[in-house]
Amino acid sequence: MSGQIHRWPAQQRVRHGGSVAEMLPPEIEGCERVVLVTTRSLADSAIARATRAAIGNRLAGETSRMGAHSPIPDVLALAALLREARADRVVALGGGSVIDGAKVACYAVWHGIADQAALLPHVASRAAEGDPWEDTPRVPRITAIPTTLSAAEFAPYAGVTDKEAGRKLRFTSAMQVPIAVLLDPAATLETPAELLLSSGIRAVDHCVERWCSTAAVPFSDAVSLQAMRMLAESLPAIHRDPGDMAARALAQQAMWLSVMGGWAGVPTGASHGIGYILGGARGVPHGITSCLSLPAVLQWNAPVNAARQAEVARIFGGAEGHSAVRDFVRGLGLPVRLRDVGIPESEIPDLAARWDGGAPIALNPRPVRNAADLEEIMRLAA
């Protein structure tokens, strides 16, 4: 197929500039049976209480079981709850694990999938292009209330973890993206600082890898560049003053922009791919994986995209792209080396060998030819 394609996921609305109490009721108007999905750490939070109150007597079920990296058993348990509750809407309150888990749970309900053996072929089949919008209405759909800056709520793809195999599985379906997203900066107030700021670096990873891509196009350049500028301003402001609500709102807008270059068909690269390996094999949170991998990938890629990286360096305040980003991450009090999260250099060959040869590492600006190349990159992060 020749030419390029800009794809829009099946998201209808993003509400911002208000509170969950104000924005959620109109989103579930007409719904009768709403299921709330969150995490144990948020179950008793103020934002969870506000969400329950906004749902009111439509609340037909609730779970806080979803674990980090969306383990497949947790995803299938949520799918079973959705069937049992006859849910017509899912409210996903949390970060990427909750929102991605809800996406795949809804997909499982739509396609009558009840166990891992039935799910895995669908995951594999959706890994590359994704499906077109479907005329048949899908019930339930998701309303997302993000509490981090991972931007999972804007994406039609989702990652789930096969813990037995130690691997992250990613697939795409246009209809599984939340039908609506509610951006309330107050929803981030109870998120631990390391989690919030590292998820902000995940957003940095989204826009930096696309800005530095050899497949960049004007749409992606515009949103990625603006996102970088906004994140460079907002994340240090949150670090300095956790009560700065304007900075939190700016960061939410920035992470929204950070993923939109993907709709123009511009891929991410080795930083995201290394993140999938570290998450699946070692359980490293995705925000933290970006803190570790992005500077190393920029350093390795510099021979092929140094001109693009010069703008990254200017925005994040350094002489070179990789050192600017590494110092920016370190300035937020976040780890920048594999050893900082307990991964010794001796484990790098085993981790690199887990790469299956596919995207997004295969789409890296400087071609990654084999596991030895991947090892070379990861040693820059050691």
Side-chain angles (χ1 to χ4, degrees):
M1 186 178 193
S2 60
Q4 294 175 293
I5 301 176
H6 186 115
R7 299 180 186 274
W8 292 112
Q11 191 163 81
Q12 294 185 8
R13 291 172 298 282
V14 178
R15 294 182 185 264
H16 53 96
S19 67
V20 165
E22 298 165 329
M23 297 187 293
L24 183 53
E27 281 302 327
I28 58 175
E29 187 175 352
C31 297
E32 297 180 354
R33 305 183 64 79
V34 177
V35 167
L36 173 63
V37 54
T38 187
T39 62
R40 292 181 180 90
S41 62
L42 284 170
D44 296 323
S45 65
I47 191 62
R49 292 193 294 273
T51 301
R52 290 188 197 97
I55 295 171
N57 60 13
R58 294 181 174 89
L59 187 62
E62 180 176 347
T63 179
S64 58
R65 175 177 169 175
M66 189 62 64
H69 296 285
S70 314
I72 289 176
D74 293 357
V75 171
L76 293 173
L78 176 56
L81 172 61
L82 298 181
R83 290 189 190 95
E84 180 183 352
R86 294 179 286 112
D88 54 7
R89 183 63 56 88
V90 180
V91 173
L93 172 67
S97 295
V98 166
I99 293 168
D100 274 7
K103 293 175 191 173
V104 181
C106 287
Y107 185 92
V109 171
W110 301 337
H111 295 278
I113 297 167
D115 57 47
Q116 180 164 324
L119 178 65
L120 293 182
H122 287 258
V123 172
S125 69
R126 299 296 181 183
E129 280 293 318
D131 54 347
W133 287 25
E134 301 172 43
D135 293 332
T136 304
R138 292 297 186 185
V139 178
R141 293 286 303 275
I142 302 166
T143 294
I145 305 171
T147 61
T148 73
L149 301 171
S150 70
E153 59 276 1
F154 297 109
Y157 42 79
V160 299
T161 301
D162 180 348
K163 286 200 166 184
E164 290 184 7
R167 58 177 179 158
K168 191 89 175 196
L169 303 169
R170 183 174 180 267
F171 74 101
T172 302
S173 174
M175 293 297 292
Q176 72 181 4
V177 70
I179 194 170
V181 177
L182 312 185
L183 296 180
D184 179 356
T188 69
L189 283 171
E190 293 163 282
T191 303
E194 181 179 84
L195 174 56
L196 183 68
L197 293 171
S198 64
S199 68
I201 299 302
R202 187 66 171 175
V204 171
D205 203 352
H206 297 327
C207 48
V208 167
E209 284 220 290
R210 290 192 172 99
W211 172 258
C212 293
S213 172
T214 55
V217 297
F219 181 94
S220 179
D221 280 354
V223 292
S224 298
L225 188 62
Q226 181 66 8
M228 283 191 283
R229 291 168 175 160
M230 293 164 70
L231 290 162
E233 175 185 348
S234 59
L235 295 181
I238 295 169
H239 184 56
R240 289 191 302 268
D241 178 8
D244 188 339
M245 298 301 286
R248 288 173 181 264
L250 183 65
Q252 286 186 321
Q253 296 284 327
M255 61 98 170
W256 177 12
L257 290 174
S258 76
V259 295
M260 292 188 70
W263 310 167
V266 179
T268 55
S271 181
H272 276 67
I274 291 170
Y276 301 147
I277 292 171
L278 295 178
R282 291 297 306 269
V284 181
H286 272 170
I288 298 297
T289 66
S290 291
C291 297
L292 311 175
S293 62
L294 181 58
V297 169
L298 287 171
Q299 186 173 353
W300 198 79
N301 283 342
V304 302
N305 59 13
R308 283 277 167 150
Q309 290 197 33
E311 185 65 16
V312 175
R314 188 190 68 78
I315 290 171
F316 290 101
E320 297 176 281
H322 69 92
S323 60
V325 171
R326 186 175 285 114
D327 289 346
F328 182 80
V329 173
R330 188 183 287 114
L332 298 175
L334 298 170
V336 295
R337 298 289 182 184
L338 290 170
R339 59 181 177 268
D340 295 339
V341 297
I343 300 176
E345 192 168 356
S346 60
E347 291 189 18
I348 287 176
D350 175 68
L351 291 168
R354 292 173 178 266
W355 178 40
D356 63 3
I361 293 173
L363 302 175
N364 194 62
R366 180 181 172 187
V368 181
R369 299 162 298 179
N370 48 43
D373 282 351
L374 195 56
E375 282 188 44
E376 187 175 328
I377 298 171
M378 296 178 76
R379 289 186 194 282
L380 295 173

